[in-house]
């Protein structure tokens, strides 16, 4: 198990809101609904089975739910993005994450990792696949594609035990049942190694991977 101190540097929450105009000539200004705009949390906050208190998703078909209760993103990626996007003031929470985490990246987090955080207990369920709303938020048309290409994607937690959590708290690694399934490797198989049937099937058989990802991977192995 890792000896690196893992900390939730900041926490962010936000409820869905409607923005833009139906008849705007620029697609970036047209009507859309999103929970992407999040505010920093200062005080302890309740982490429930599907959400942090005060957080929500606009598209419940593709976001949220038990396997995607909390979105985490590595604080270590921000230096890259600030330089790459020429945006030195890019704040934590810019990628829509609830937890901005110090001490880990996708190559150091594994599917099924279980952590204690404050009163709560959380478990890694899958990598995050960024959607078009990330691009829309920052008015960079290919930003979601850039994230998908370079693997700085983030990951999701399911909540095993509800409780109060707070920014600045350490995450205590309790159990790592699948060290072979890093978030980076799972991301690579799902989004890039489309024709590696053996790896696809092996990942699909990881019991702590989210149900949605397992179903997608199994369907891929069954296609001609």
């Amino acid at each position: 198990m890792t000896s690196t101190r893992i900390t939730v540097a900041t926490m962010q929450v936000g409820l869905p809101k409607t923005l833009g105009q139906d008849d705007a000539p620029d697609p970036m200004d047209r009507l859309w609904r999103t929970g992407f705009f999040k505010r920093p949390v200062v005080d302890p906050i309740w982490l429930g089975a599907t959400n942090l208190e005060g957080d929500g998703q606009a598209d419940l078909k593709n976001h949220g739910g038990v396997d995607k209760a909390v979105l985490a993103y590595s604080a270590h990626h921000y230096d890259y993005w600030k330089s790459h996007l020429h945006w030195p003031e890019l704040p934590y929470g810019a990628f829509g994450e609830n937890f901005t985490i110090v001490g880990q990246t996708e190559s150091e987090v594994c599917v099924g990792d279980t952590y204690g955080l404050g009163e709560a207990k959380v478990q890694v369920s899958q990598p995050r696949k960024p959607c078009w709303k990330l691009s829309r938020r920052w008015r960079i048309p290919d930003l979601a594609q850039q994230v998908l290409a370079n693997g700085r994607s983030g990951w999701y937690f399911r909540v095993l035990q509800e409780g109060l959590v707070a920014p600045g708290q350490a995450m205590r690694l309790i159990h790592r049942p699948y060290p072979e399934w890093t978030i980076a490797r799972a991301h690579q198989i799902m989004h890039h190694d489309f024709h590696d049937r053996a790896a696809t099937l092996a990942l699909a058989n990881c019991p702590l991977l989210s149900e949605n990802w397992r179903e997608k991977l199994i369907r891929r192995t069954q296609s001609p």
Side-chain angles (χ1 to χ4, degrees), residues 4 6 24 48 71 91 95 106 117 144 173 192 197:
T4 303
I6 307 161
L71 174 59
F95 286 79
E106 289 78 2
L117 176 67
L173 182 59
H192 301 288
R197 282 181 175 254

Side-chain angles (χ1 to χ4, degrees), residues 12 23 27 36 68-69 76 79 83 96 107-108 112 120 138 159 164-165 171-172 175 195 219:
Q12 291 82 215
D23 56 353
F36 205 98
K68 293 190 282 188
H76 301 276
D79 284 344
S83 173
S107 63
E108 298 154 324
W138 296 110
V159 177
L164 285 172
V165 296
M171 296 187 70
R172 309 175 303 279
H175 187 42
H195 303 297
R219 284 198 300 271

Side-chain angles (χ1 to χ4, degrees), residues 103-144:
Q104 284 189 317
T105 65
E106 289 78 2
S107 63
E108 298 154 324
V109 179
C110 302
V111 174
D113 280 2
T114 302
Y115 299 88
L117 176 67
E119 298 177 351
K121 188 183 295 183
V122 297
Q123 185 177 74
V124 177
S125 59
Q126 67 166 76
R128 179 257 195 111
K129 179 183 178 182
C131 74
W132 60 272
K133 291 184 179 181
L134 173 61
S135 298
R136 182 76 181 270
R137 167 66 178 90
W138 296 110
R139 303 181 70 87
I140 302 174
D142 69 340
L143 183 55

Side-chain angles (χ1 to χ4, degrees), residues 50-51 56-70 156:
T50 58
N51 278 110
Q57 298 83 28
D59 176 8
L60 293 177
K61 179 180 178 181
N62 295 300
H63 302 286
V66 172
D67 280 335
K68 293 190 282 188
V70 176
Y156 284 103

